[in-house]
Amino acid sequence: MEDLSEKEEQARLAEARILVVDDHVHARRLLRLQLRKYVAVQEAGSFDEALALCEEQMPDVALIDIHLGEARTGVDLLQALRALPGGQRLRAIACTAYAVPGSRERFLEAGFDEYLAKPIHTDQLLRVLQRVLDPSYRPDRTRLGLPEWELKLPPQPETITAVMELLSRDEEEIELKQLIELLHEDPITAAWVLRHVNSAYYALPHKVTTIERAVTMLGFLPVGNLVLTEVVTNAFEQVTTPEARHIHKHIMQVSLSTALFARELAALVEQISPEQAFTAGVLHQLGRLVFLSSAPERYISLWKTNLQGGSQWLQAPSPDDEVRTFGLNYAQLGADIARDWGMPELLIEAIRFHLDPRWATGRGRLLALLVRAGRTLALQFGCSGEVLAQLSPEELPPPVRGVLRELAEATRVSVQRFWRHVLSRSQAIQELACSYRQ
């Protein structure tokens, strides 16, 4: 490609005609806002609207959502556009929230020039647009050079199926007998649940020795979520090396801590129940567990070890590192697994978009934001041992202050109120999360 200066690339982008095709108005608006400093865009919400706009004037670039919410897909639209005058010159970029290994190759073979997996970050979007607008650009329709890896999904454990079915029911339809029978068949999980029910986090006045009593004291959903946590752990615990076991433990500690913080934040929010937030928090790193169990050596190589103050800390790979290695990141993979396992769409959306909740819609956006906030608190404070009571809202680390501000704007609950509530529960959360698998 030509060695263009940054100003020349910006000028080329500013003069381009860009069309965004997506049936979700929120997704179209977000792309428009991401590009508003650089270029004006046209929008189309359907196959027919996009076709009509392109018949009138063919754009230079079309960002096309693959799932248009109708019988015809983004691939069908691309074929129709290619048949129009000027359609062969169109630079078409496939966009989808449902990425799986091989997605990019599949869409390039279908005739797209580039591929972007949602959520789409602004710098990534700009790089792709500048690349396709270069006159010398030619799409690479050969293999992209990603290492071969086999996605070894374990079959959905029967216990997960049963627990998710119970957790998805309305309260009046819940049958305690089914949960008790399920745990009688899994005494190890039952023992783990009772140990955590008796932790300082739940602050029960007397020791609980039976699942029946635990449900009476806490309610069905909190106990059911503890069961889900242990079942998910066991489903992916068949790792053999010390490094893999260490990473597995870290993933589950962060997931549990995220779930506990998200539950406390959701207690102040009307639209999402605390137990929905806990479930999403527990499952938000499902994709990382699959990477670890499917390609342990390759995934372990992406993790880094940091030494701070004499303590050893694990640093997880960035989502970009995962994409470069596997073709998708853990949030994308986790959402696809959750969908294959028949989990509710609200939960799938939270798993998929917790890295960037702006791409989620409706209640899914709020749940994703709660998971993002819970995760930020977990990574900052989960097992750090830091005494949070010494921190005022003004003294919070920028990432924590930022996510609490986003949550406050979405819910009209003040940052100060969120932080006061987190402080009141932080020590018990830290103790429970850090004791996981001790």
Side-chain angles (χ1 to χ4, degrees), residues 32-260:
R32 187 181 71 242
L33 290 174
Q34 287 177 300
L35 292 172
R36 63 180 176 180
K37 293 181 180 179
Y38 310 97
V39 62
V41 302
Q42 280 188 301
E43 298 177 33
S46 67
F47 181 105
D48 292 333
E49 186 179 359
L51 192 61
L53 286 172
C54 292
E55 286 175 339
E56 184 176 330
Q57 184 178 34
M58 185 63 64
D60 298 305
V61 181
L63 293 150
I64 302 175
D65 183 55
I66 296 301
H67 302 277
L68 292 176
E70 52 187 272
R72 293 168 294 186
T73 68
V75 175
D76 297 324
L77 175 60
L78 177 62
Q79 292 172 349
L81 298 183
R82 293 290 192 214
L84 295 177
Q88 293 299 318
R89 294 192 301 273
L90 171 70
R91 302 300 193 201
I93 302 171
C95 304
T96 180
Y98 308 119
V100 296
S103 291
R104 187 174 188 185
E105 291 86 348
R106 187 166 64 254
F107 291 129
L108 290 179
E109 289 174 1
F112 285 93
D113 299 286
E114 286 288 347
Y115 160 76
L116 288 170
K118 298 176 183 179
I120 302 169
H121 299 290
T122 303
D123 57 348
Q124 177 191 26
L125 176 60
L126 291 174
R127 284 197 303 271
V128 170
L129 286 175
Q130 288 166 349
R131 186 159 64 242
V132 301
L133 286 169
D134 190 306
S136 64
Y137 172 80
R138 295 293 181 272
D140 180 8
R141 303 199 185 281
T142 63
R143 286 196 77 259
L144 300 180
L146 291 174
E148 293 285 352
W149 73 295
E150 182 181 357
L151 182 60
K152 299 175 183 176
L153 277 181
Q156 183 178 6
E158 292 183 7
T159 313
I160 286 185
T161 306
V163 173
M164 288 303 304
E165 197 276 329
L166 290 173
L167 290 175
S168 65
R169 292 184 182 182
D170 294 330
E171 288 190 22
E172 59 271 16
E173 297 178 350
I174 288 173
E175 293 187 22
L176 173 59
K177 181 181 177 182
Q178 290 180 267
L179 180 63
I180 294 171
E181 289 176 351
L182 185 151
L183 288 174
H184 283 169
E185 296 173 3
D186 191 349
I188 295 177
T189 297
W192 183 89
V193 168
L194 289 175
R195 181 161 71 89
H196 284 76
V197 164
N198 286 298
S199 69
Y201 175 80
Y202 293 99
L204 298 179
H206 305 290
K207 185 174 182 179
V208 173
T209 58
T210 67
I211 293 297
E212 293 91 331
R213 183 64 176 162
V215 174
T216 300
M217 297 295 290
L218 297 179
F220 177 89
L221 293 178
V223 174
N225 265 323
L226 280 177
V227 174
L228 179 65
T229 304
E230 181 65 357
V231 169
V232 168
T233 301
N234 293 337
F236 295 94
E237 204 168 28
Q238 305 308 314
V239 288
T240 56
T241 67
E243 294 89 348
R245 287 194 292 270
H246 189 39
I247 290 173
H248 179 275
K249 178 181 175 180
H250 173 86
I251 290 171
M252 288 310 303
Q253 281 184 330
V254 171
S255 295
L256 178 57
S257 186
T258 297
L260 293 167

Side-chain angles (χ1 to χ4, degrees), residues 328-348:
L328 74 173
N329 64 44
Y330 77 90
Q332 296 162 348
L333 178 57
D336 283 320
I337 296 164
R339 178 170 287 102
D340 288 343
W341 285 1
M343 293 185 182
E345 192 61 36
L346 179 67
L347 188 57
I348 295 168

Side-chain angles (χ1 to χ4, degrees), residues 260-271:
L260 293 167
F261 277 119
R263 172 193 274 161
E264 297 304 328
L265 294 169
L268 303 180
V269 175
E270 293 182 359
Q271 300 97 314

